[in-house]
Structure formats: structure tokens, C-alpha cells
Amino acid sequence: MKMEQMDIVDEYKIALTKAKNKNKTLLFSYTEQLNNIDPLSFYSSAKAIFQGERFFWKVPNDEMIIVGLGSAHTFQTEVGEGRFEYIEREWNQFIHDAHVYNPFDVQGTGPVIFGGFSFDPLSMKESEWTPFYNALFHLPKLMLIINKQEVFLTTNILCHSNDNLDKLNHHLKLKREIFEGKVSKSIENINIKQEHELNQQAWIDSVAEVVDLLKKEKKLNKVVMARKMNIEFNDKVAAEKVLENLWEEQHESYIFALETENSCFTGASPERLVKKNGNTIVSACLAGSIKRGNSISEDEALAEALFNDEKNRHEHQLVVSMIAEVIRKYCLNVDIPELPSVMKMRDIQHLFTPVNGIIKDDHISIFPLVKDLHPTPAMGGVPTIEALQIIREKEKMDRGFYASPIGWVDYRGNGEFAVAIRSGLIKENEAFLYAGCGVVSDSNPEDEYFETKIKFRPMLRALGGKKL
């Protein structure tokens, strides 16, 4: 430990000198390797200090887990259509003069920002989403990275031209207290007061109206309609308890949490949007759904029915075609299976097709891919512009970050984003849960309503609610 501290002090002194010489504020980032540590405990540590400035990220196979505490710097904007370019530009400018000590050639180490984008900046606005802006990303003060069971810690500090070692010493003291367990890690139970499914019949009627539009407008192929439910609690909800429940119940998913102020957007999504690692690009097509069976034989029969269902296969192919078009724009050697497989989650089964490619230009970051892939037909519709306009008119709600890209980007332009479905927004003693479904010309509104009830279940269970 003493040797590590000497190293970080020496590197910090170099960063201070650089800040003084340039007469500007710059980032000091230092990465070290650690022994094993529990990511959920790390997230819940120092809650009183870092409340509203934490994030959590876990991929389905556990090969990458990232946990951030505190915010050394926050990137946010109310810019709408240009929100992707704005965050990329601000991030690139921020790290241009950074002093980065990272001797590890491991994805996710070094400076990393985590956050997400709004689904549609032109939709109606509701107050619960105000603190998230149209884009919000945190650069953590302390970041834990678990990559294929190797554990790393990145410390990020903003160095000002007139700083001394006091700021670093404060960081080192806080880090010691966290790792020595001197900071509270208590997790409170969740007690629901009331559950409300909002405007059920009005939503079913809106879906019926969309079905009529799809039958009349031949150029319109699909519109994704979402709805929300509201939950009231007897006390403030602890985000770490919700994460613990998602970890136990939806471990095969992307598990995420993004805090700001007194709110936390969290969920367990089955759907990757895009991952970039060097010149390798990986995406996924997930569309077409059916419930799980009560027995192995029933489950397999339902999976077969899903695979052979014309409506679901059509819905899935719309997603495959769009994602393939975007990936081919940026990549060579694109690999897409001819037929989908069935992905089985705890509550639901989906048609699934992976997409892989080798990027044409190594200088392209992940941001342009995220922009061009959002929203996929699985979240918006086909054609995209027309579908989004119908969503604005018929949903009558603010999706916020629901169904949007959420994930992380490192200082090398690599990263990964999931589609933020099976999610909810927690705000003190209430929560807003979101679920959607793809509507096509032969959709049955009652069936679509039942599908959304299934999709509410992961978050509802994590919040201690009853099964819908």
C-alpha cells in the first residue's frame, strides 16, 4: 500500500506541474490493481457521501462490472438532436490534456464516463426526468472495474493550477475508509404503500388507434408503444437494495443504475445496443416476444411458436435490417446469422440475432454508432421519424431515459451501451416503471397490454411489488 501511495503521489505531482504550466484545470487519473472486492458492497459504501453521484454497470456474463462513486466531473446538456455529438465533443476536449497513469491494457480501465441519453428530446417533458437532462454522464472520483475477474481501481481528481497535495490526501483517506469498512453500508428494506397502473384503458385505446393507422398507412410498418406505472412507498427507497434484488433475480441481464440528485434510474435489460473494443463492433437484434412456460415442455412449445410466428418474425426482421444497415456503414466483414435464436429470460422469451463487424476506421469512437442505432425499430418503429411522431401523439408521457442508450465510454473511444428497458426511475419514496411493445397492423391491443404486464415484472419484483 505504501509503495502504491508513493506512485500515486509522484504521478499527482506531475499532473500539478502540468496544470500550473498550462494555467488550467486538468484531469489526473490513476489506475491500480486490487485484490477481489464485492461490487455491490462498493456501490453501497459511502452512501451518505456519494448519494446522487453513483453508478453501476454489469454485463450478462459478469465479464465486465463497473461501479462509480462520486462525480469528479458531470457532463450534461439540454441540447436535443445534437446531444450525442455534444457529449463526445466535451469528453474529447476534457481528456485532451489529462494526465493518465494506466499501465494496464485492459478495457474499462483509465478515465471512463458512464451515463445515458434521453429517448426523444422532442417528446413532452415531465418533472421526474428534469435532473437527467437530454444527456447525463458522470466521471467518477473512485471507479471499481472488474474485467474477467481482474480487479482495478481508478482514481480521478481535477487538478487546478493553485492546488497542492491536500486534495489527493483527502482522496486517499476516503479510499482507505471505504476499503477498511469504516463507512456505512446499511441497506434498508423496501415497503410498498400503493401500486398504480396508469391509464390502462386509455393506453389500450391508443394502441387500437395505432393499429388502425398501420392498416391505413402502408408505408408505416411498426410503432412501439410504451406505458408506465407508479409505485408509492412508505419510506425512501434504497437504490442499493433494488440493485441487490436485480442481481439475484435478473443476473443474466445488463444491470445498471445511474444516480443524479435525489433520483436513480435503474434496471435489468436483456438488450445490448452496441459494444466497441478496438476495431471490433458487436450489436444485437432483440424483437418478438412470448411468455415463459410453467414446464419445460410448455416452455419449448412457446419458444417454437415464437420462432414460427409470422408477426413476431416480421417484427424481428425489421430490427435486423435496420441494425445491419448501420453496422455495415461503419464496418467491414459484417457477420449476421440467417435465422434468429430464442433468448430465454426469467419472465419472457425473445427472438435474438447477434451482429458483429470489424470497424473501417479505428479513429471512430462509439458515439456515432450509438447515435445512428438509436432508436432501433424495437424501441421506436419503422420508419423511425413517422413512428416517433405517432409515439409523441399517442403515448402522452415522457419516456426520459427509458428505452434509451445507457452505458460507458473510455478515454480511447471504446465502450458499451445497452438499451435501457425493464427499467424504472426511483425518486425518494416513489418509482415510475416503464414497459413497451411493438405494434404492427395485425396486433391485438389486449395482447399487447398483457405483454407489457410481463415486462413490468423484473422491476416490480425488485421493488417488492406483486406479480402483475
Side-chain angles (χ1 to χ4, degrees):
M1 184 67 176
K2 187 175 289 186
M3 188 62 193
E4 288 176 359
Q5 284 193 357
M6 286 298 294
D7 288 342
I8 195 171
V9 169
D10 290 343
E11 293 294 330
Y12 187 71
K13 286 179 178 178
I14 295 172
L16 286 179
T17 301
K18 197 173 180 180
K20 287 180 172 64
N21 290 339
K22 290 181 174 290
N23 193 29
K24 64 181 296 187
T25 300
L26 56 83
L27 170 66
F28 166 69
S29 182
Y30 182 91
T31 301
E32 59 191 295
Q33 191 161 13
L34 302 177
N35 296 322
N36 193 34
I37 182 172
D38 176 56
L40 289 174
S41 295
F42 186 77
Y43 179 85
S44 63
S45 65
K47 175 182 176 180
I49 301 171
F50 295 125
Q51 180 76 48
E53 296 182 339
R54 298 179 296 174
F55 69 76
F56 188 95
W57 170 266
K58 184 195 81 70
V59 302
N61 60 10
D62 288 6
E63 285 195 348
M64 175 71 79
I65 302 172
I66 306 177
V67 188
L69 300 181
S71 181
H73 191 76
T74 299
F75 301 83
Q76 61 194 31
T77 182
E78 281 292 14
V79 170
E81 292 299 317
R83 61 201 187 282
F84 301 96
E85 294 87 350
Y86 177 90
I87 295 297
E88 179 176 26
R89 183 173 61 253
E90 291 295 305
W91 176 230
N92 287 339
Q93 290 175 357
F94 186 81
I95 61 175
H96 182 264
D97 292 320
H99 181 72
V100 179
Y101 175 81
N102 179 21
F104 308 103
D105 187 20
V106 177
Q107 188 182 31
T109 56
V112 166
I113 54 173
F114 180 90
F117 299 93
S118 64
F119 180 83
D120 178 12
L122 300 181
S123 70
M124 67 177 290
K125 301 299 180 185
E126 294 184 280
S127 59
E128 60 262 27
W129 286 108
T130 300
F132 288 83
Y133 297 84
N134 278 320
L136 173 70
F137 284 80
H138 290 310
L139 171 72
K141 293 180 178 178
L142 292 172
M143 185 181 73
L144 179 73
I145 310 99
I146 302 176
N147 187 311
K148 297 178 181 178
Q149 298 185 332
E150 287 189 300
V151 182
F152 304 89
L153 183 76
T154 295
T155 297
N156 295 307
I157 302 174
L158 291 191
C159 293
H160 303 286
S161 57
N162 59 347
D163 278 349
N164 53 34
L165 290 176
D166 290 347
K167 191 180 292 185
L168 175 63
N169 290 331
H170 173 74
H171 259 72
L172 295 176
K173 179 177 180 292
L174 179 59
K175 187 178 81 171
R176 282 195 302 271
E177 290 175 349
I178 290 173
F179 283 94
E180 291 170 4
K182 294 180 180 179
V183 185
S184 173
K185 300 178 183 177
S186 62
I187 300 179
E188 302 89 349
N189 289 324
I190 303 172
N191 299 303
I192 286 183
K193 179 180 180 181
Q194 209 165 17
E195 299 173 16
H196 306 276
E197 283 192 73
L198 304 175
N199 305 317
Q200 299 172 41
Q201 190 56 52
W203 188 84
I204 292 172
D205 293 342
S206 292
V207 172
E209 291 171 8
V210 172
V211 170
D212 288 341
L213 277 173
L214 288 159
K215 289 176 179 177
K216 293 173 185 175
E217 301 290 338
K218 298 304 180 184
K219 291 183 180 180
L220 193 63
N221 292 305
K222 176 184 176 182
V223 177
V224 178
M225 291 288 287
R227 66 187 184 99
K228 68 179 177 180
M229 68 180 300
N230 175 246
I231 302 177
E232 297 178 45
F233 303 90
N234 291 316
D235 303 293
K236 291 182 180 180
V237 177
E240 48 270 29
K241 180 61 178 177
V242 180
L243 271 180
E244 183 182 85
N245 291 342
L246 290 172
W247 180 280
E248 293 296 326
E249 298 165 0
Q250 302 290 329
H251 200 83
E252 70 277 21
S253 301
Y254 285 91
I255 297 176
F256 61 86
L258 173 64
E259 292 184 353
T260 183
E261 297 182 11
N262 60 350
S263 300
C264 178
F265 178 55
T266 184
S269 173
E271 186 169 358
R272 168 188 280 152
L273 183 65
V274 64
K275 176 181 180 180
K276 180 180 182 292
N277 184 13
N279 65 351
T280 302
I281 301 296
V282 183
S283 187
C285 311
L286 201 71
S289 309
I290 201 167
K291 66 179 181 178
R292 296 298 304 269
N294 295 319
S295 65
I296 294 175
S297 59
E298 183 189 8
D299 199 57
E300 290 304 317
L302 286 166
E304 185 176 353
L306 172 64
F307 186 85
N308 293 310
D309 181 71
E310 184 177 342
K311 170 188 173 293
N312 280 292
R313 287 291 291 271
H314 171 65
E315 187 180 338
H316 185 78
Q317 188 56 45
L318 290 173
V319 178
V320 174
S321 298
M322 179 270 191
I323 290 180
E325 182 180 354
V326 172
I327 297 300
R328 287 191 176 107
K329 174 182 172 182
Y330 291 98
C331 292
L332 304 167
N333 305 321
V334 177
D335 179 29
I336 306 172
E338 289 186 12
L339 295 174
S341 58
V342 176
M343 176 188 287
K344 295 178 182 288
M345 310 302 290
R346 175 170 174 173
D347 299 292
I348 197 166
Q349 307 182 67
H350 297 285
L351 291 176
F352 167 75
T353 299
V355 179
N356 299 277
I358 303 299
I359 201 161
K360 297 175 184 177
D361 183 354
D362 290 344
H363 296 98
I364 293 174
S365 78
I366 195 172
F367 284 107
L369 288 104
V370 173
K371 177 189 176 182
D372 286 357
L373 287 168
H374 174 73
T376 71
M379 298 299 121
V382 180
T384 302
I385 294 174
E386 290 81 355
L388 287 176
Q389 184 57 43
I390 293 170
I391 290 169
R392 293 175 197 132
E393 294 170 2
K394 301 296 183 181
E395 269 190 6
K396 298 180 176 64
M397 74 171 190
D398 184 2
R399 290 192 183 186
F401 277 30
Y402 164 72
S404 300
I406 190 165
W408 61 274
V409 182
D410 68 15
Y411 66 115
R412 300 182 178 106
N414 299 314
E416 184 170 17
F417 282 80
V419 181
I421 53 176
R422 314 293 191 271
S423 56
L425 176 63
I426 302 167
K427 188 173 183 179
E428 296 186 329
N429 65 338
E430 66 178 333
F432 304 89
L433 309 190
Y434 300 84
C437 57
V439 180
V440 292
S441 60
D442 58 349
S443 289
N444 180 302
E446 293 286 348
D447 291 344
E448 304 299 346
Y449 173 74
F450 178 74
E451 182 177 317
T452 59
K453 289 173 77 74
I454 295 174
K455 291 175 177 177
F456 275 131
R457 288 176 186 171
M459 277 305 301
L460 192 58
R461 264 199 310 270
L463 289 165
K466 300 173 184 176
K467 180 177 176 181
L468 286 173

